[in-house]
Amino acid sequence: MTKTIYIAGLGLIGGSIALGIKRDHPDYTVLGYNRGADSRRVALERGMVDAVTDDFASFAPRADVIILAVPIQQTLEFLEQLAGLPLKPNVLVTDAGSTKLAIVQKAEQVLAGKAIRFIGSHPMAGSHKSGAQAADVNLFENAYYILTPSALTTEDTILEIKDLLSGLHVRFIEMDTEEHDQVTGQVSHFPHVLATSLMLQAGDHRETHAMTQHLAAGGFRDMTRIAESEPGMWTSILMTNKEAVLERIDDFKSRLDQVTDMIQQDDQEALWQFFHQGGQIRKEMEIHKRGGVDSFYDLSVNIPDEEDEILKIMELLRGTSLMNLRINEENREDIHGILQITFKTQADQIRSKEIIEAATDYQVFID
Ligand code: NAD
């Protein structure tokens, strides 16, 4: 049975979802709302949608499924609008917001008692890019797609969402709404606060210590990459997950106090344990994997810092499918730089190691 899907917000997330729906359900009609004209035009040109509007209310009554992929505050407002529109009976409404409790509570509050189903959604992938131009059918591949059922979720809702979004190739998981916000508060929202604070601290420090600007390298870069995220989105996230983030900030302050004590008391044993335990926990957690799947296989090659070295390695690996390539800059003062190559399969990783070792005398290692 063909369906009409209405996506509000044809940005990075909404556009990528639209492409995924089109991939597995080319017979479905996909309608799009977007405030700005550019993404409306791009979405039409790229075939993500069949028709577009800049008037949110106008397409909603035609839809079997409505996906709100706009900023969180706007999602809350659109839920209120939907409550007053003549929607199809049994319409399925969902969202894409990075926090869930405020959205699910709003939906339960304004949509209750109507023939409307609602489930919260959070696709756990993204990038700093935005707009329909940045949409990518593979954006969510292997990533977790979290579903947070509400009082307005029926048994068939989850099956229907999974079928609709099968083209995204995600890993669906169901989570309690509050638990979602607690966990993302720890692993995503609070780290953004921390990374930005670190960046601001370094910005102040360079005023009096000019070399700060130049010596910030690998470790500092890894710690602060997310400080370049979109300010509007992160403001909304903190505003809709206040309690969990404030609690994490408090907890962190006491951890800093503990390290302060260890240093002041010259407690080397405690400091050793501090670093040791942090390293152990990092090894145990799934952070080396994308969406919890071991889908990336890295190979590191110690190469001389000379012209054409990378080309030489690439030539050896001709025909092997690579996912990523990067040079570890931390080692640039040394004679060797580390070329890091990422493969999709373990077989490619092992075979490539053998090929490079056979043809060169470079050190090749699997991390
Ligand atoms: P985006 O900027 O690429 O797209 C947002 C869309 O919303 C744009 O098309 C914009 O025109 C529209 N919009 C913005 N403000 C609006 C307003 N006031 N009224 C009407 N339309 C408005 O952003 P995105 O990354 O696609 O984010 C969309 C949603 O997805 C957000 O709720 C965000 O929390 C969530 N999300 C983002 C990421 C990520 O990494 N970018 C990851 C997971 C979830």
Side-chain angles (χ1 to χ4, degrees), residues 248-268:
R248 290 294 81 196
I249 291 175
D250 264 353
D251 176 275
F252 202 80
K253 282 181 186 165
S254 69
R255 285 173 195 276
L256 287 182
D257 288 342
Q258 285 168 24
V259 184
T260 305
D261 287 347
M262 292 175 206
I263 299 170
Q264 277 173 345
Q265 291 164 15
D266 292 324
D267 192 343
Q268 297 189 35

PDB file of all heavy atoms in Angstrom, residues 248-268:
ATOM      1  N   ARG A 248      25.143  16.399  35.811  1.00  0.00           N
ATOM      2  CA  ARG A 248      26.466  15.954  35.324  1.00  0.00           C
ATOM      3  C   ARG A 248      27.537  17.017  35.594  1.00  0.00           C
ATOM      4  O   ARG A 248      28.681  16.710  35.879  1.00  0.00           O
ATOM      5  CB  ARG A 248      26.408  15.629  33.817  1.00  0.00           C
ATOM      6  CG  ARG A 248      25.616  14.396  33.410  1.00  0.00           C
ATOM      7  CD  ARG A 248      26.218  13.103  33.901  1.00  0.00           C
ATOM      8  NE  ARG A 248      25.894  12.832  35.278  1.00  0.00           N
ATOM      9  CZ  ARG A 248      26.519  11.936  36.055  1.00  0.00           C
ATOM     10  NH1 ARG A 248      27.484  11.220  35.579  1.00  0.00           N
ATOM     11  NH2 ARG A 248      26.173  11.758  37.300  1.00  0.00           N
ATOM     12  N   ILE A 249      27.169  18.299  35.468  1.00  0.00           N
ATOM     13  CA  ILE A 249      28.127  19.380  35.738  1.00  0.00           C
ATOM     14  C   ILE A 249      28.540  19.333  37.216  1.00  0.00           C
ATOM     15  O   ILE A 249      29.725  19.409  37.553  1.00  0.00           O
ATOM     16  CB  ILE A 249      27.532  20.764  35.373  1.00  0.00           C
ATOM     17  CG1 ILE A 249      27.387  20.886  33.850  1.00  0.00           C
ATOM     18  CG2 ILE A 249      28.412  21.906  35.918  1.00  0.00           C
ATOM     19  CD1 ILE A 249      26.711  22.164  33.370  1.00  0.00           C
ATOM     20  N   ASP A 250      27.568  19.155  38.098  1.00  0.00           N
ATOM     21  CA  ASP A 250      27.852  19.071  39.544  1.00  0.00           C
ATOM     22  C   ASP A 250      28.790  17.917  39.842  1.00  0.00           C
ATOM     23  O   ASP A 250      29.766  18.051  40.576  1.00  0.00           O
ATOM     24  CB  ASP A 250      26.547  18.833  40.320  1.00  0.00           C
ATOM     25  CG  ASP A 250      26.003  20.144  40.829  1.00  0.00           C
ATOM     26  OD1 ASP A 250      26.695  21.165  40.687  1.00  0.00           O
ATOM     27  OD2 ASP A 250      24.873  20.132  41.356  1.00  0.00           O
ATOM     28  N   ASP A 251      28.460  16.775  39.262  1.00  0.00           N
ATOM     29  CA  ASP A 251      29.277  15.584  39.482  1.00  0.00           C
ATOM     30  C   ASP A 251      30.720  15.844  39.024  1.00  0.00           C
ATOM     31  O   ASP A 251      31.674  15.466  39.685  1.00  0.00           O
ATOM     32  CB  ASP A 251      28.664  14.413  38.699  1.00  0.00           C
ATOM     33  CG  ASP A 251      29.496  13.163  38.796  1.00  0.00           C
ATOM     34  OD1 ASP A 251      30.447  13.005  37.998  1.00  0.00           O
ATOM     35  OD2 ASP A 251      29.223  12.341  39.690  1.00  0.00           O
ATOM     36  N   PHE A 252      30.845  16.509  37.889  1.00  0.00           N
ATOM     37  CA  PHE A 252      32.179  16.747  37.323  1.00  0.00           C
ATOM     38  C   PHE A 252      33.001  17.693  38.199  1.00  0.00           C
ATOM     39  O   PHE A 252      34.209  17.507  38.359  1.00  0.00           O
ATOM     40  CB  PHE A 252      32.052  17.316  35.908  1.00  0.00           C
ATOM     41  CG  PHE A 252      33.284  17.094  35.089  1.00  0.00           C
ATOM     42  CD1 PHE A 252      33.528  15.872  34.493  1.00  0.00           C
ATOM     43  CD2 PHE A 252      34.221  18.103  34.929  1.00  0.00           C
ATOM     44  CE1 PHE A 252      34.668  15.646  33.751  1.00  0.00           C
ATOM     45  CE2 PHE A 252      35.373  17.883  34.188  1.00  0.00           C
ATOM     46  CZ  PHE A 252      35.601  16.660  33.595  1.00  0.00           C
ATOM     47  N   LYS A 253      32.315  18.691  38.756  1.00  0.00           N
ATOM     48  CA  LYS A 253      33.026  19.633  39.632  1.00  0.00           C
ATOM     49  C   LYS A 253      33.673  18.874  40.792  1.00  0.00           C
ATOM     50  O   LYS A 253      34.814  19.134  41.162  1.00  0.00           O
ATOM     51  CB  LYS A 253      32.042  20.667  40.202  1.00  0.00           C
ATOM     52  CG  LYS A 253      31.666  21.765  39.239  1.00  0.00           C
ATOM     53  CD  LYS A 253      30.704  22.719  39.952  1.00  0.00           C
ATOM     54  CE  LYS A 253      30.161  23.777  39.034  1.00  0.00           C
ATOM     55  NZ  LYS A 253      28.992  24.449  39.618  1.00  0.00           N
ATOM     56  N   SER A 254      32.930  17.905  41.342  1.00  0.00           N
ATOM     57  CA  SER A 254      33.499  17.187  42.493  1.00  0.00           C
ATOM     58  C   SER A 254      34.656  16.299  42.034  1.00  0.00           C
ATOM     59  O   SER A 254      35.596  16.054  42.789  1.00  0.00           O
ATOM     60  CB  SER A 254      32.417  16.401  43.236  1.00  0.00           C
ATOM     61  OG  SER A 254      31.982  15.344  42.446  1.00  0.00           O
ATOM     62  N   ARG A 255      34.614  15.825  40.795  1.00  0.00           N
ATOM     63  CA  ARG A 255      35.746  15.035  40.289  1.00  0.00           C
ATOM     64  C   ARG A 255      36.996  15.913  40.158  1.00  0.00           C
ATOM     65  O   ARG A 255      38.106  15.485  40.458  1.00  0.00           O
ATOM     66  CB  ARG A 255      35.414  14.399  38.943  1.00  0.00           C
ATOM     67  CG  ARG A 255      34.485  13.239  39.085  1.00  0.00           C
ATOM     68  CD  ARG A 255      34.013  12.705  37.755  1.00  0.00           C
ATOM     69  NE  ARG A 255      32.869  11.856  37.989  1.00  0.00           N
ATOM     70  CZ  ARG A 255      32.948  10.567  38.331  1.00  0.00           C
ATOM     71  NH1 ARG A 255      34.110   9.966  38.425  1.00  0.00           N
ATOM     72  NH2 ARG A 255      31.854   9.878  38.548  1.00  0.00           N
ATOM     73  N   LEU A 256      36.808  17.137  39.690  1.00  0.00           N
ATOM     74  CA  LEU A 256      37.945  18.060  39.581  1.00  0.00           C
ATOM     75  C   LEU A 256      38.506  18.353  40.971  1.00  0.00           C
ATOM     76  O   LEU A 256      39.722  18.443  41.151  1.00  0.00           O
ATOM     77  CB  LEU A 256      37.529  19.357  38.887  1.00  0.00           C
ATOM     78  CG  LEU A 256      37.271  19.285  37.383  1.00  0.00           C
ATOM     79  CD1 LEU A 256      36.919  20.669  36.841  1.00  0.00           C
ATOM     80  CD2 LEU A 256      38.470  18.734  36.627  1.00  0.00           C
ATOM     81  N   ASP A 257      37.599  18.496  41.939  1.00  0.00           N
ATOM     82  CA  ASP A 257      38.055  18.735  43.324  1.00  0.00           C
ATOM     83  C   ASP A 257      38.919  17.568  43.818  1.00  0.00           C
ATOM     84  O   ASP A 257      39.923  17.763  44.480  1.00  0.00           O
ATOM     85  CB  ASP A 257      36.856  18.911  44.275  1.00  0.00           C
ATOM     86  CG  ASP A 257      36.163  20.253  44.047  1.00  0.00           C
ATOM     87  OD1 ASP A 257      36.791  21.151  43.439  1.00  0.00           O
ATOM     88  OD2 ASP A 257      34.990  20.394  44.463  1.00  0.00           O
ATOM     89  N   GLN A 258      38.486  16.363  43.458  1.00  0.00           N
ATOM     90  CA  GLN A 258      39.266  15.185  43.897  1.00  0.00           C
ATOM     91  C   GLN A 258      40.675  15.207  43.305  1.00  0.00           C
ATOM     92  O   GLN A 258      41.651  14.928  43.986  1.00  0.00           O
ATOM     93  CB  GLN A 258      38.562  13.896  43.470  1.00  0.00           C
ATOM     94  CG  GLN A 258      37.346  13.547  44.312  1.00  0.00           C
ATOM     95  CD  GLN A 258      36.509  12.439  43.667  1.00  0.00           C
ATOM     96  OE1 GLN A 258      37.018  11.649  42.877  1.00  0.00           O
ATOM     97  NE2 GLN A 258      35.236  12.384  44.002  1.00  0.00           N
ATOM     98  N   VAL A 259      40.779  15.553  42.004  1.00  0.00           N
ATOM     99  CA  VAL A 259      42.110  15.606  41.376  1.00  0.00           C
ATOM    100  C   VAL A 259      42.934  16.726  42.016  1.00  0.00           C
ATOM    101  O   VAL A 259      44.136  16.574  42.251  1.00  0.00           O
ATOM    102  CB  VAL A 259      42.006  15.839  39.846  1.00  0.00           C
ATOM    103  CG1 VAL A 259      43.379  15.794  39.197  1.00  0.00           C
ATOM    104  CG2 VAL A 259      41.122  14.800  39.206  1.00  0.00           C
ATOM    105  N   THR A 260      42.284  17.834  42.323  1.00  0.00           N
ATOM    106  CA  THR A 260      42.971  18.940  42.982  1.00  0.00           C
ATOM    107  C   THR A 260      43.620  18.441  44.280  1.00  0.00           C
ATOM    108  O   THR A 260      44.798  18.688  44.535  1.00  0.00           O
ATOM    109  CB  THR A 260      41.962  20.072  43.310  1.00  0.00           C
ATOM    110  OG1 THR A 260      41.309  20.445  42.112  1.00  0.00           O
ATOM    111  CG2 THR A 260      42.662  21.290  43.907  1.00  0.00           C
ATOM    112  N   ASP A 261      42.829  17.705  45.072  1.00  0.00           N
ATOM    113  CA  ASP A 261      43.354  17.161  46.342  1.00  0.00           C
ATOM    114  C   ASP A 261      44.556  16.253  46.093  1.00  0.00           C
ATOM    115  O   ASP A 261      45.562  16.339  46.794  1.00  0.00           O
ATOM    116  CB  ASP A 261      42.271  16.356  47.081  1.00  0.00           C
ATOM    117  CG  ASP A 261      41.221  17.282  47.684  1.00  0.00           C
ATOM    118  OD1 ASP A 261      41.477  18.503  47.741  1.00  0.00           O
ATOM    119  OD2 ASP A 261      40.150  16.773  48.074  1.00  0.00           O
ATOM    120  N   MET A 262      44.418  15.374  45.120  1.00  0.00           N
ATOM    121  CA  MET A 262      45.510  14.417  44.841  1.00  0.00           C
ATOM    122  C   MET A 262      46.804  15.166  44.518  1.00  0.00           C
ATOM    123  O   MET A 262      47.874  14.816  44.988  1.00  0.00           O
ATOM    124  CB  MET A 262      45.150  13.526  43.639  1.00  0.00           C
ATOM    125  CG  MET A 262      44.031  12.555  43.868  1.00  0.00           C
ATOM    126  SD  MET A 262      43.666  11.719  42.291  1.00  0.00           S
ATOM    127  CE  MET A 262      41.968  11.287  42.513  1.00  0.00           C
ATOM    128  N   ILE A 263      46.681  16.210  43.696  1.00  0.00           N
ATOM    129  CA  ILE A 263      47.882  16.960  43.304  1.00  0.00           C
ATOM    130  C   ILE A 263      48.452  17.701  44.515  1.00  0.00           C
ATOM    131  O   ILE A 263      49.650  17.636  44.791  1.00  0.00           O
ATOM    132  CB  ILE A 263      47.558  17.949  42.162  1.00  0.00           C
ATOM    133  CG1 ILE A 263      47.057  17.189  40.914  1.00  0.00           C
ATOM    134  CG2 ILE A 263      48.787  18.783  41.788  1.00  0.00           C
ATOM    135  CD1 ILE A 263      46.484  18.084  39.819  1.00  0.00           C
ATOM    136  N   GLN A 264      47.566  18.375  45.233  1.00  0.00           N
ATOM    137  CA  GLN A 264      48.034  19.159  46.391  1.00  0.00           C
ATOM    138  C   GLN A 264      48.709  18.280  47.432  1.00  0.00           C
ATOM    139  O   GLN A 264      49.674  18.680  48.072  1.00  0.00           O
ATOM    140  CB  GLN A 264      46.863  19.907  47.027  1.00  0.00           C
ATOM    141  CG  GLN A 264      46.572  21.206  46.296  1.00  0.00           C
ATOM    142  CD  GLN A 264      45.307  21.884  46.791  1.00  0.00           C
ATOM    143  OE1 GLN A 264      44.490  21.269  47.484  1.00  0.00           O
ATOM    144  NE2 GLN A 264      45.135  23.140  46.433  1.00  0.00           N
ATOM    145  N   GLN A 265      48.194  17.056  47.575  1.00  0.00           N
ATOM    146  CA  GLN A 265      48.758  16.166  48.605  1.00  0.00           C
ATOM    147  C   GLN A 265      49.868  15.269  48.064  1.00  0.00           C
ATOM    148  O   GLN A 265      50.261  14.301  48.721  1.00  0.00           O
ATOM    149  CB  GLN A 265      47.630  15.318  49.201  1.00  0.00           C
ATOM    150  CG  GLN A 265      46.674  16.145  50.033  1.00  0.00           C
ATOM    151  CD  GLN A 265      45.371  15.418  50.312  1.00  0.00           C
ATOM    152  OE1 GLN A 265      45.285  14.203  50.133  1.00  0.00           O
ATOM    153  NE2 GLN A 265      44.367  16.168  50.732  1.00  0.00           N
ATOM    154  N   ASP A 266      50.340  15.564  46.855  1.00  0.00           N
ATOM    155  CA  ASP A 266      51.392  14.750  46.227  1.00  0.00           C
ATOM    156  C   ASP A 266      51.034  13.262  46.243  1.00  0.00           C
ATOM    157  O   ASP A 266      51.904  12.410  46.431  1.00  0.00           O
ATOM    158  CB  ASP A 266      52.740  14.935  46.952  1.00  0.00           C
ATOM    159  CG  ASP A 266      53.276  16.335  46.750  1.00  0.00           C
ATOM    160  OD1 ASP A 266      53.084  16.884  45.648  1.00  0.00           O
ATOM    161  OD2 ASP A 266      53.858  16.885  47.699  1.00  0.00           O
ATOM    162  N   ASP A 267      49.772  12.946  46.077  1.00  0.00           N
ATOM    163  CA  ASP A 267      49.337  11.559  46.165  1.00  0.00           C
ATOM    164  C   ASP A 267      49.517  10.875  44.799  1.00  0.00           C
ATOM    165  O   ASP A 267      48.585  10.736  44.008  1.00  0.00           O
ATOM    166  CB  ASP A 267      47.861  11.510  46.605  1.00  0.00           C
ATOM    167  CG  ASP A 267      47.442  10.107  47.005  1.00  0.00           C
ATOM    168  OD1 ASP A 267      48.157   9.141  46.645  1.00  0.00           O
ATOM    169  OD2 ASP A 267      46.393   9.966  47.667  1.00  0.00           O
ATOM    170  N   GLN A 268      50.737  10.448  44.552  1.00  0.00           N
ATOM    171  CA  GLN A 268      51.064   9.882  43.233  1.00  0.00           C
ATOM    172  C   GLN A 268      50.322   8.584  42.975  1.00  0.00           C
ATOM    173  O   GLN A 268      49.940   8.293  41.848  1.00  0.00           O
ATOM    174  CB  GLN A 268      52.570   9.648  43.141  1.00  0.00           C
ATOM    175  CG  GLN A 268      53.336  10.952  43.233  1.00  0.00           C
ATOM    176  CD  GLN A 268      54.811  10.771  42.936  1.00  0.00           C
ATOM    177  OE1 GLN A 268      55.174   9.951  42.106  1.00  0.00           O
ATOM    178  NE2 GLN A 268      55.634  11.543  43.600  1.00  0.00           N
TER     179      GLN A 268
END
